[in-house]
Amino acid sequence: MAKLKVDGKEIEVPDHFTLLQACEEAGAEVPRFCFHERLSVAGNCRMCLVEVKGGPPKPAASCAMGVRDIRGGPNGELPEVFTNTPMVKKAREGVMEFLLINHPLDCPICDQGGECDLQDQAMAFGIDSSRYTENKRAVEDKYIGPLVNTVMNRCIHCTRCVRFTTEVAGIAELGLIGRGEDAEITTYLEQAMTSELQGNVVDLCPVGALTSKPFAFTARPWELTKTESIDVMDALGSAIRVDTRGREVMRIMPRVNEQVNEEWISDKSRFIWDGLKTQRLDRPYVRRDGRLQAATWGDAFAAIKSAVSATTGAKIGAIAGDLASVEEMYALKALIASLGSANTDCRQDGAALDPSLGRASYLFNSTIEGIESADAILIVGANPRYEAAVLNARIRKAWRRSGLPIGVIGEGGEMRYPYEYLGAGTESLADLLSGKNGFVEKLKAAKNPLIIVGQGALAGAEGLAVLGNAAKLANAVGAVSEEWNGFAVLHTAASRVGGLDLGFVPGEGGVAAADMLASMDVLFLLGADELDFTRKSAKFTVYIGSHGDNGAHNADVILPGATYTEKSGTWVNTEGRVQMGNRAGFAPGDAREDWAIIRALSDVLGKKLPYDSLGALRARLYADYPHFAALDEIAPGTGAEIAALAKKAGKMTKSAFASPVKDFYLTNPIARASAVMAECSALARNNFKAAAE
């Protein structure tokens, strides 16, 4: 720790702090454009100038000078820094004057207006006039893809975007070329950026040079209602803010959550919002004469009642989709049980995960933040770049800090960090267990080894054997101890952990998801669209969901539900963290919240569920499963559960692991309804073909 004085106030800060961070710790406001806490120091905007007592007779850039770089007085006086002296004020005014020499000052038509750091700091730290009357320089706008709009006349060369793509996203797609007046930010060959995190440069840009292309010229920030919620595009549960105008979602922004997503979100999470309003189901439908026809709620419920009354509980089943919230799965499970059925499943992909094996058998036990504590990582049957892009950035962050060894078993491919490819499937995992592969020694030598098991390794016939052998390997290399649990299951579905916590899996004598498609008389699909419907021979299918996707096309009755932005719901992320999303708008037309649909249906079927409000439902839920009441907390699994799982390590037949995510941009019904995601997907396919050729 280091002691110093800031504007006469004595403080103590870690000795690795910069002067800028120390000043903020003391409560002083220091303007900046290029400095960002999560990026390397550039020191090129000079807006953060301060005066250092006893230093050179000129202001110092506080972002580039550390507290250990300044000295105290000759008699033991503490080092002193000033942020509000006449020298500092004059220096900042001069820097702002320089920054505005070439800036177009087109605030009335700029999408950054109202959220612009340059606007705010010009007001607070600038002056009311400029001495420069020369013509402003002009820079051509660059095409960098369908997501980020460029107006490069506004660029002040802070290089935040360059540092983000290089350091966090892991691909050097943006750079600063030229010198002096000819300097400009570009992708060199003016091609589209390929990173799954590129949208974050919109938030990082302190001016209006990089803005959201889909959001361009649609709304002003002060028009929007802002709702804090949770993202469900993957299993991370990133913290987001949903901005709406009236009933319409206009944009989605990240919120800071150090334990989960820091302050980044993936492009799918950010730009999915146009899919929320297209291909929507806004009224019930009933299939008559081979065609789906609009119907009333009464007609739809009557058709379901007729089908249910004509069969037995053993022939009724329910499958929960990847975006379902805990509340609606809880209600549906109760309804199916009241009909005498044990046929429930939340594992559309057939992953070999079972709550009876203990919570540790299906959680990312190290936690997402814990990735930074790992000193060796083995990835089995997963591609985190596509399955959890923000988590992949955490792995890269850990690699950049320590250069830790990373091994991959599975498809491989570009992951944005170097790794050792160990093989394609079960044989390679067996070689690690037997010691034939040298990478196992790196895991044993590590203090906190981390083994990440993806859904691609768990979805086949070998799923349970692979899970058991991965647990056996974790125990063998010391990945599970009292201080550290390095056995981590990476999920791809937002609803999966919540469903497993609820026990939304086949009960005694129950049928799994894939078999339900072929054997049920009545099948309820709760937003389940990722099934192989070519195998479907179920007689009567009820789809409860928000979009006209695969499940709706194969349904006999459609009950229109709400999307994640249109309901308050609980989701549990891959590490077991309970999170609550809030309603930002209302579902269109006759669509209703899913739990309310199930509650109304239960009344018609004569199996009325004992709650009439969401609050009453949650009271029942919390009574049955208390850990759901502990929001933003993790009920951890135990090492004993991992040890018990390791005993199920059976012999594995030869098979390869394949990531379940084939197209990052089109993984769920909302994404497939999005024109922006379709454009990104087409661009990614073209880039892949070009690279292959």
Side-chain angles (χ1 to χ4, degrees), residues 471-493:
K472 185 177 179 181
L473 179 63
N475 282 326
V477 301
V480 182
S481 64
E482 290 185 4
E483 298 81 25
W484 172 256
N485 190 335
F487 180 78
V489 176
L490 178 60
H491 291 273
T492 56

Side-chain angles (χ1 to χ4, degrees), residues 392-461:
N392 200 52
R394 284 265 194 185
I395 297 176
R396 175 174 168 78
K397 182 179 179 182
W399 170 78
R400 287 187 71 240
R401 281 183 174 176
S402 62
L404 80 171
I406 301 173
V408 172
I409 299 176
E411 290 180 321
E414 173 56 58
M415 290 193 183
R416 307 306 194 204
Y417 41 79
Y419 61 85
E420 187 177 336
Y421 185 65
L422 306 178
T426 51
E427 283 188 325
S428 304
L429 181 58
D431 287 346
L432 281 173
L433 276 164
S434 64
K436 293 180 182 177
N437 191 309
F439 191 82
V440 73
E441 299 304 324
K442 297 179 182 179
L443 293 172
K444 288 179 178 177
K447 181 183 177 184
N448 294 328
L450 175 61
I451 297 176
I452 299 175
V453 184
Q455 302 304 295
L458 305 177

Side-chain angles (χ1 to χ4, degrees), residues 147-158:
L147 302 179
V148 182
N149 189 48
T150 61
V151 186
M152 301 315 290
N153 284 337
R154 302 170 184 158
C155 181
I156 61 171
H157 302 151
C158 69

Side-chain angles (χ1 to χ4, degrees), residues 308 312-313 316 330-344 524 598 601-603 605-611:
V308 169
T312 62
I316 300 173
Y330 176 73
L332 183 57
K333 183 187 177 190
L335 175 60
I336 296 300
S338 71
L339 295 173
S341 173
N343 304 320
T344 55
F524 291 90
I598 296 165
L601 178 60
S602 71
D603 202 358
L605 296 179
K607 304 291 183 181
K608 184 178 178 180
L609 296 174
Y611 30 78

Side-chain angles (χ1 to χ4, degrees), residues 76 131 142 204 222 242 244 335 347 399 426 603 617 623:
R131 291 167 287 176
K142 309 293 189 296
L204 287 171
W222 54 84
V242 181
T244 56
L335 175 60
R347 306 161 304 178
W399 170 78
T426 51
D603 202 358
L617 187 158

